[in-house]
C-alpha cells in the first residue's frame, strides 16, 4: 500500500512560517514512527493570486479532491484588501470548503494547564476547559443566494442570504451527536430562533435528528447571543456546541481566547467519506494570516502543529500518535517555552517560531526515551 497523501497549502502571512514547523513534525513521524506521508505543496490565497490571478487554481482544487487530507496555513493580507470579492484570498479557502463539501468544522477549545493563567478570564473559569465547537461550514449566509451589492434608486444595498436546508442541518447535527458520544455525551445547539426562520428550522431539525437517532445524548438549545454570554461566564457547562456557519465563526474566536491565545487553536473540516473510507478533510489553524507579525519568526506554530495532530486522529486513525503530539506540545508549554503571544512578563525572551517547533521535536524525542 502506498503512503497516505497530504497536500500542504501554506498560504499567506504567517502561514508559511508555521507550516515549516509542521513539516519538521511530519518528517519526525516518518522517520521515528514509521508513519510516512506522500507530501505535496501548492499555493492558495494571495500568493496564488499573485502567481496565477486566482486564489485557487483548478489544478490545485483537483489535487485537493484527490489527496487523503489537506493541511492549510492561512490566507489573506492587507495587500489584497481592495481586490474584487471573487478573487480575494479568502475565496480560495471558501472554494476548498465548498467544493470538498466539508460541512462539519471541528474547533476544539482546550485550556492546557500551563496556560490557564494566561487567559483573560479567571483561572477557575478556564482551567481544565475542554469543549468542542462544531461549526456548519458549507452553507448559511457565507454562501446563500441572492448576494451582492445592488443599486436601489440612488443608493446601494448590500445583500446576503441566510439559507439552510433540512439535510444540511441534519448532517452537521449527526456529526455533533456522534462526537458527543465519544466525549461527555452532551450537545448544545445555538441559533437565533427568536428572530430568524432559518433558526426555527435549525432548532426543529436538530431536535428531530436527536429524537429519532440519538435519544441517549443530552440535547439543549440556546440563542447564540446568550451562548456567547454563557461561553464567557462559565464555559465548562458545555461539551459539544453545534451551530451555523456565521455564529460558529464568531463563537469559535471567542472560545479560542478562553484558552489563552488564538495561536493555540487547531481545526478539522470534515466531509463525507471517500472511497477509501477516510472523510474528505482539511486541517487548518483557526488563527488567520496575522500580517502584522508575518516574516518575523514571532508566530506561534502550535495551532498548526495541533491541526496536524487532528489529521492523525480524524483522517489516519492514529489517535495514539495524535495524543503523543498533543502531549509534546503541552510539555513544551509546561517547560515555559513560549512564543510572544503567550508571554506574560515583558522581561522574558520569547521563543521564535522555529525554536518552538524544535522544542516540540525535542519533547517528542524525549517521549520515546521515557
Ligand atoms: C475562519 C476564518 C474564515 C471564515 C475567513 C478567513 C474566510 O475567519 O476560518 O474562521 O470566516 O470562515
Ligand atoms: Mg473566523
Amino acid at each position: 500500500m502506498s503512503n497516505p497523501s497530504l497536500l500542504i497549502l501554506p498560504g499567506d502571512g504567517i502561514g508559511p512560517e508555521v507550516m515549516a514547523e509542521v513539516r519538521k513534525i511530519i518528517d519526525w513521524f516518518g522517520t521515528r514512527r514509521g508513519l510516512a506521508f506522500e507530501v505535496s505543496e501548492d499555493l492558495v490565497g494571495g500568493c496564488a493570486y499573485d502567481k496565477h490571478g486566482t486564489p485557487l487554481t483548478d489544478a490545485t482544487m483537483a489535487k485537493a479532491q484527490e489527496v487523503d487530507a489537506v493541511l492549510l496555513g492561512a490566507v489573506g493580507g492587507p495587500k489584497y484588501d481592495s481586490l474584487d470579492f471573487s478573487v480575494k484570498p479568502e475565496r480560495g479557502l471558501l472554494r476548498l470548503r465548498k467544493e470538498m463539501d466539508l460541512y462539519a468544522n471541528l474547533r476544539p477549545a482546550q485550556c492546557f494547564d500551563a496556560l490557564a493563567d494566561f487567559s483573560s478570564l479567571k483561572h477557575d473559569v478556564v482551567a481544565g476547559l475542554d469543549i468542542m465547537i462544531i461549526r456548519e461550514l458549507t452553507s448559511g449566509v457565507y454562501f446563500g443566494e441572492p448576494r451582492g451589492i445592488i443599486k436601489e434608486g440612488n443608493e446601494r444595498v448590500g445583500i446576503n442570504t441566510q439559507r439552510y436546508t433540512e439535510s444540511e442541518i441534519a448532517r452537521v447535527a449527526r456529526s455533533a451527536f456522534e462526537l458527543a458520544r465519544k466525549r461527555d455525551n452532551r450537545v448544545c445547539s445555538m441559533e437565533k430562533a427568536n428572530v430568524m426562520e432559518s433558526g426555527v428550522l435549525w432548532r426543529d431539525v436538530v431536535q428531530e435528528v436527536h429524537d429519532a437517532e440519538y435519544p441517549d445524548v443530552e440535547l439543549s438549545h440556546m440563542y447564540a447571543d446568550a451562548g456567547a454570554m454563557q461561553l464567557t461566564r462559565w464555559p465548562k457547562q458545555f461539551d459539544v456546541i453545534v451551530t451555523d456557519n456565521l455564529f460558529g465563526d464568531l463563537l469559535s474566536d471567542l472560545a479560542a481566547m478562553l484558552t489563552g491565545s488564538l495561536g493555540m487553536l487547531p481545526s478539522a473540516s470534515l466531509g463525507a467519506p471517500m472511497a477509501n473510507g477516510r472523510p474528505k478533510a482539511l486541517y487548518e489553524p483557526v488563527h488567520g494570516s496575522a500580517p502584522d507579525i508575518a516574516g518575523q519568526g514571532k508566530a506561534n506554530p502550535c495551532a498548526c502543529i495541533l491541526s496536524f495532530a487532528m489529521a492523525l486522529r480524524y483522517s489516519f486513525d492514529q489517535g495514539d500518535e495524535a495524543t503523543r503530539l498533543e502531549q509534546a506540545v503541552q510539555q513544551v508549554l509546561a517547560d515555559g517555552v513560549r512564543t510572544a503571544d503567550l508571554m506574560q512578563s515583558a522581561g522574558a525572551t520569547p521563543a521564535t517560531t522555529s525554536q518552538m517547533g524544535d522544542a516540540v521535536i525535542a519533547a517528542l524525542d524525549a517521549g520515546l526515551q521515557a
Side-chain angles (χ1 to χ4, degrees):
M1 252 181 50
S2 57
N3 293 328
S5 53
L6 267 181
L7 172 62
I8 294 196
L9 303 172
D12 307 319
I14 60 171
E17 293 161 65
V18 296
M19 199 60 88
E21 302 314 306
V22 178
R23 291 297 291 256
K24 293 182 191 166
I25 308 278
I26 294 172
D27 291 345
W28 186 89
F29 277 93
T31 53
R32 307 302 303 274
R33 304 298 301 158
L35 270 176
F37 293 93
E38 212 60 64
V39 180
S40 56
E41 202 170 306
D42 214 326
L43 302 176
V44 68
C47 58
Y49 175 80
D50 288 339
K51 182 146 185 227
H52 302 294
T54 167
L56 187 77
T57 64
D58 292 343
T60 310
M61 185 65 241
K63 230 189 273 176
Q65 295 283 19
E66 277 161 24
V67 292
D68 292 310
V70 179
L71 209 57
L72 188 139
V75 294
K79 183 179 161 193
Y80 309 102
D81 279 351
S82 58
L83 282 184
D84 185 75
F85 229 66
S86 60
V87 288
K88 270 196 194 298
E90 289 79 3
R91 298 308 305 176
L93 175 58
L94 295 173
R95 181 177 177 198
L96 283 164
R97 291 174 177 173
K98 186 70 179 173
E99 291 191 23
M100 292 170 76
D101 202 16
L102 305 170
Y103 59 88
N105 181 212
L106 281 50
R107 297 190 160 187
Q110 242 176 321
C111 185
F112 292 169
D113 287 343
L115 298 184
D117 288 318
F118 196 78
S119 172
S120 50
L121 274 75
K122 294 195 186 81
H123 183 283
D124 279 1
V125 175
V126 296
L129 178 74
D130 178 6
I131 61 180
M132 176 73 87
I133 296 188
I134 303 199
R135 167 190 179 192
E136 198 292 326
L137 202 60
T138 52
S139 185
V141 77
Y142 270 59
F143 298 98
E145 301 278 351
R147 64 183 299 158
I149 298 176
I150 61 164
K151 198 86 186 189
E152 229 176 62
N154 46 21
E155 70 169 351
R156 289 169 303 160
V157 181
I159 299 174
N160 288 94
T161 302
Q162 167 80 333
R163 181 180 194 276
Y164 270 106
T165 65
E166 285 187 280
S167 53
E168 285 169 343
I169 301 167
R171 65 181 184 173
V172 75
R174 285 191 188 96
S175 302
F177 291 127
E178 292 289 339
L179 218 87
R181 277 182 174 165
K182 296 187 191 133
R183 299 171 46 98
D184 200 36
N185 215 30
R186 294 180 294 121
V187 171
C188 180
S189 169
M190 295 187 186
E191 29 53 22
K192 284 283 289 177
N194 50 347
V195 283
M196 297 164 77
E197 284 79 0
S198 60
V200 173
L201 185 72
W202 182 282
R203 188 176 282 225
D204 280 357
V205 173
V206 171
Q207 188 68 51
E208 283 162 18
V209 170
H210 170 269
D211 296 351
E213 301 169 42
Y214 301 92
D216 54 299
V217 180
E218 189 185 313
L219 172 65
S220 58
H221 303 274
M222 217 180 258
Y223 297 139
D225 54 345
M229 190 262 286
Q230 291 297 341
L231 264 173
T232 43
R233 193 188 67 83
W234 191 245
K236 285 187 240 176
Q237 71 187 280
F238 298 110
D239 178 27
V240 173
I241 292 173
V242 65
T243 189
D244 78 11
N245 204 341
L246 183 60
F247 296 141
D249 183 43
L250 305 179
L251 294 172
S252 62
D253 266 26
L254 190 161
M257 280 317 291
L258 301 175
T259 70
S261 170
L262 200 48
M264 290 303 302
L265 231 78
S267 82
S269 304
L270 307 176
M274 302 185 279
N276 61 12
R278 294 186 172 118
K280 275 259 155 85
L282 179 147
Y283 299 87
E284 57 175 321
V286 171
H287 64 66
S289 58
D292 52 320
I293 57 162
Q296 300 170 35
K298 287 185 184 166
N300 183 352
C302 289
C304 204
I305 290 171
L306 293 170
S307 297
F308 176 63
M310 289 189 89
L312 289 171
R313 177 171 292 120
Y314 293 106
S315 280
F316 304 114
D317 270 330
Q318 297 287 345
D320 291 348
E321 298 301 326
T323 303
R324 174 191 301 283
L325 180 51
E326 287 157 356
Q327 281 172 352
V329 171
Q330 285 189 45
Q331 186 59 51
V332 168
L333 294 168
D335 291 346
V337 184
R338 310 269 172 97
T339 41
D341 56 311
L342 295 174
M343 301 296 294
Q344 241 147 359
S345 59
T349 315
T352 64
T353 308
S354 80
Q355 283 168 345
M356 194 75 192
D358 291 343
V360 174
I361 298 277
L364 284 167
D365 280 333
L368 286 186
Q369 265 130 45

